[in-house]
Amino acid sequence: MPTLPDGITLGAATPARGRSVIAARAFGPGDTVATFAGLCVTIPDSSHMERTCSYCLAVESEDAAEDAAEDAALKMRACAGCKTSRYCDKTCQKADWQLVHSRGECKALRRAAESAARQGTPQVLPTPVRALVQVLIRPDMAAAVAEMEGHVERTRGRDPKTWADIELQARGALHYINREASPRNMAEAIETICKLQINSFNRRDLDYGESGIYVSPALAMLNHSCVPNAFVQFEGRNAVLHAYRPINKDDEVQISYIEPTLPLSLRQQNLKAQYQFDCGCPRCKDDLDVYQVCQNYPCLELNLRSLTPDLDKFRNPPLERFPHADKLLQENINEVYSVCAAPLTGSSQEDKVKQLRRSWKLCVPLRAAEAYAVDPLTQVIDRAGVYFSELGNLSYGLAIACFVALHCDPYREPMPFSTARLKGLFMIARLLPSTDGSTLSGGKGTLAARLAEVLGWMDRITVSQAVVKLIINHSTAAHLQEWQLYQQATDLLGQLESLPHRQRENALVNAFAENPDGSEEMHFFKTAVVAPVQILAGFALEIMDAEFGTQS
């Protein structure tokens, strides 16, 4: 039985859910519940190994080659033996060598690279095979994983192709660690793969180049809910469990294994396929949409210190109709989801525009209901913003980012310290200083001219600075100071505060940050920060219609 960290204890087992983890004391929203820093396997994805430390999982800067002369540049160096694993410094290399690399991983990766060179195949072993190798050559992990649930027989009978892939992975791992593929060894390797598939966590964060899987026998004991009361944030080799909402002593601590805002059918499908169970949480039982879940969240008053301080909109969302109560709308979501949620895979601008136009049209029923926080409509709007930013049209990208921050993310993630919401705010904060609307062109009264006029008169630096303060304050309240975004926000704040001739503006922003409940400070925030963001957000739907078609 794995040892649980301070803050949580083992709860009673039930036939339906098995073991559970309960809170050892009460926790408030954002509090650190527990830190998992012990026995684990944590590795980067194979496709990211060249830029990721194999021990601490720090990611090399994209500009590391240009910044190599700078002391702050983080540059990975390959292991001299396998030339596959990378490390950020000698300390990490030594620690990984003692933990696993010297026990056979280095030789296995070298054999795989040599074999790949002869056959002309990819040089790095697939991520699941590398995870299996680590478990097989580490007796402590092998013993811990042996106690996990694997549902081997269910997996065997589910899909012949999946089972064949599992057998191939098991045989490959045994080959590269120089073990015989005997029936006993194969059975152990196959069972381990099944257990890893169910009990591993995806630590991918594409916004920051982070990737990989995390396997902790202790963390794997947490049960799932699509209305979780906790969430996990990865910090290097550690996993930190935070309270998302109030947790009382002896409450079960639950996290979401998947994206909980997915449509019910997809949530159930994903949970059944990977984790082998049917979810019976309130969200699934009553098929609640994101707005209904948001209405029932406690501590919504935390949003008084956010870009969405109007609590009435959380409790009474401004919708034409709720998706939950509209059967035709539910059918529409299920019909169009796979098309609209597909990433913008087109290699050309023309292909991306075609895909966005098609998705925008398919979302007409959701748009008519004004259900902007419901997927796939949220995804379509968000991807359009990314598309404009990549195209260099930062003004349109900014307007759409403001819309998502006001009309999508708060209903999907009711707590203002949600990492998704903080990422959205940081996008706004980064775009504001460099987006003055000068690149927009159009006659008087046109969309481009009106947006350029707003960007011209608003104090974009002050708005950016106040938004960064929000990010820092919410990150601090949720104990997220080790997160890369927090560090970047702190750097951006320093740059903004150092701009000349801004003593008065700096004083106003700092006054609000220090006393957000003060009447004068709140008036400043609502008029100088929230109002301009609302005006920018008001252009978003007009931009979408102008670029990708109207509802007609």
Side-chain angles (χ1 to χ4, degrees):
M1 184 71 62
T3 301
L4 294 177
D6 292 341
I8 53 178
T9 60
L10 189 63
T14 64
R17 294 173 63 81
R19 297 176 297 189
S20 63
V21 171
I22 62 175
R25 61 179 180 84
F27 297 95
D31 284 353
T32 298
V33 177
T35 299
F36 297 80
L39 187 65
C40 69
V41 168
T42 177
I43 59 174
D45 288 343
S46 296
S47 59
H48 290 75
M49 285 189 73
E50 288 191 359
R51 295 186 55 239
T52 308
C53 179
S54 288
Y55 185 73
C56 74
L57 277 75
V59 180
E60 180 180 83
S61 168
E62 293 184 358
D63 300 322
E66 299 177 9
D67 299 338
E70 299 183 12
D71 293 338
L74 187 64
K75 185 172 178 61
M76 300 300 153
R77 291 169 175 79
C79 166
C82 65
K83 295 181 174 56
T84 300
S85 293
R86 260 74 172 178
Y87 302 99
C88 61
D89 58 30
K90 292 183 179 179
T91 301
C92 281
Q93 185 169 9
K94 182 178 180 180
D96 199 48
W97 180 260
Q98 294 174 342
L99 178 68
V100 66
H101 212 53
S102 65
R103 299 185 182 187
E105 185 191 46
C106 184
K107 291 181 179 179
L109 294 178
R110 185 171 66 241
R111 291 191 190 105
E114 292 170 349
S115 175
R118 291 192 299 268
Q119 300 176 20
T121 56
Q123 290 192 356
V124 182
L125 288 176
T127 307
V129 178
R130 290 172 35 243
L132 174 59
V133 165
Q134 285 214 9
V135 173
L136 293 178
I137 63 180
R138 289 178 57 186
D140 54 350
M141 276 302 302
V145 171
E147 297 184 13
M148 294 177 173
E149 181 59 67
H151 301 296
V152 177
E153 293 308 315
R154 291 186 191 176
T155 304
R156 186 196 303 270
R158 188 180 69 205
D159 178 13
K161 183 180 183 303
T162 298
W163 187 255
D165 290 340
I166 290 174
E167 288 184 323
L168 183 62
Q169 291 173 4
R171 195 175 299 277
L174 291 171
H175 170 72
Y176 290 119
I177 63 174
N178 203 26
R179 289 188 191 176
E180 180 186 0
S182 65
R184 179 177 178 179
N185 286 345
M186 281 291 291
E188 177 190 6
I190 288 172
E191 183 176 3
T192 300
I193 290 175
C194 292
K195 292 178 176 180
L196 292 178
Q197 286 182 342
I198 292 175
N199 294 284
S200 63
F201 291 82
N202 187 342
R203 64 180 310 283
R204 181 177 304 164
D205 187 340
L206 296 181
D207 291 326
Y208 294 100
E210 296 181 359
S211 71
I213 61 174
Y214 184 93
V215 184
S216 164
L219 185 62
M221 296 179 70
L222 289 163
N223 282 327
H224 163 85
S225 172
C226 298
V227 192
N229 57 11
F231 66 98
V232 176
Q233 186 76 8
F234 293 103
E235 297 176 2
R237 295 187 63 81
N238 296 339
V240 183
L241 183 67
H242 298 271
Y244 191 71
R245 53 182 178 158
I247 301 175
N248 297 320
K249 185 178 183 295
D250 296 330
D251 280 355
E252 182 178 3
V253 182
Q254 301 171 315
I255 60 176
S256 182
Y257 295 172
I258 60 172
E259 171 51 59
T261 58
L262 289 170
L264 172 63
S265 59
L266 284 178
R267 293 201 310 273
Q268 295 284 13
Q269 178 183 326
N270 291 349
L271 289 169
K272 190 70 172 179
Q274 182 168 356
Y275 302 104
Q276 304 291 323
F277 70 85
D278 296 312
C279 184
C281 74
R283 190 174 212 143
C284 290
K285 182 181 177 181
D286 299 323
D287 192 13
L288 302 178
D289 60 50
V290 293
Y291 295 101
Q292 292 172 302
V293 172
C294 176
Q295 285 176 311
N296 294 320
Y297 253 95
C299 301
L300 289 175
E301 64 274 9
L302 293 177
N303 287 282
L304 289 171
R305 303 174 183 179
S306 75
L307 290 181
T308 49
D310 186 350
L311 300 187
D312 185 63
K313 289 186 177 180
F314 284 91
R315 299 183 179 118
N316 301 287
L319 297 176
E320 285 294 321
R321 58 186 185 278
F322 281 91
H324 167 82
D326 192 319
K327 184 178 179 180
L328 291 177
L329 199 56
Q330 288 287 344
E331 291 177 353
N332 171 255
I333 292 171
N334 291 327
E335 287 174 2
V336 307
Y337 186 89
S338 60
V339 175
C340 297
L344 296 180
T345 55
S347 58
S348 67
Q349 177 184 344
E350 183 181 359
D351 290 336
K352 292 178 180 179
V353 170
K354 286 181 179 178
Q355 189 170 339
L356 284 168
R357 281 177 178 166
R358 183 186 182 193
S359 298
W360 188 237
K361 183 177 181 179
L362 289 172
C363 286
V364 164
L366 278 171
R367 291 155 54 195
E370 298 185 3
Y372 302 114
V374 175
D375 282 334
L377 180 54
T378 298
Q379 293 167 306
V380 174
I381 296 172
D382 190 54
R383 284 169 183 164
V386 174
Y387 162 76
F388 287 124
S389 296
E390 291 177 345
L391 195 63
N393 191 338
L394 302 185
S395 302
Y396 280 15
L398 173 61
I400 290 177
C402 290
F403 183 90
V404 172
L406 299 186
H407 301 288
C408 302
D409 286 347
Y411 299 104
R412 296 163 64 85
E413 299 279 359
M415 294 296 98
F417 56 77
S418 155
T419 56
R421 285 180 67 174
L422 295 180
K423 283 183 178 181
L425 292 184
F426 191 60
M427 173 67 76
I428 294 171
R430 286 197 305 176
L431 287 174
L432 276 166
S434 56
T435 309
D436 60 4
S438 60
T439 59
L440 295 172
S441 59
K444 185 176 181 180
T446 62
L447 167 61
R450 286 183 283 115
L451 179 54
E453 181 182 0
V454 170
L455 290 169
W457 63 251
M458 69 181 290
D459 185 349
R460 293 174 290 106
I461 302 300
T462 296
V463 177
S464 176
Q465 190 172 334
V467 170
V468 173
K469 281 283 191 178
L470 288 178
I471 295 170
I472 292 174
N473 288 352
H474 287 309
S475 297
T476 301
H479 306 282
L480 298 173
Q481 294 95 323
E482 297 300 318
W483 188 23
Q484 188 175 350
L485 184 139
Y486 175 86
Q487 306 297 333
Q488 292 180 339
T490 302
D491 292 342
L492 178 56
L493 180 62
Q495 296 170 18
L496 296 173
E497 289 181 337
S498 66
L499 293 174
H501 312 303
R502 288 190 49 80
Q503 290 82 356
R504 177 178 175 276
E505 290 84 354
N506 289 347
L508 289 170
V509 172
N510 289 333
F512 168 75
E514 294 170 5
N515 184 29
D517 298 325
S519 58
E520 292 184 7
E521 290 80 2
M522 181 57 72
H523 176 74
F524 158 76
F525 180 66
K526 287 184 176 180
T527 57
V529 180
V530 175
V533 171
Q534 291 174 335
I535 293 172
L536 288 176
F539 287 97
L541 296 180
E542 187 178 354
I543 290 170
M544 294 294 293
D545 282 340
E547 297 294 321
F548 310 121
T550 62
Q551 294 189 26
S552 59

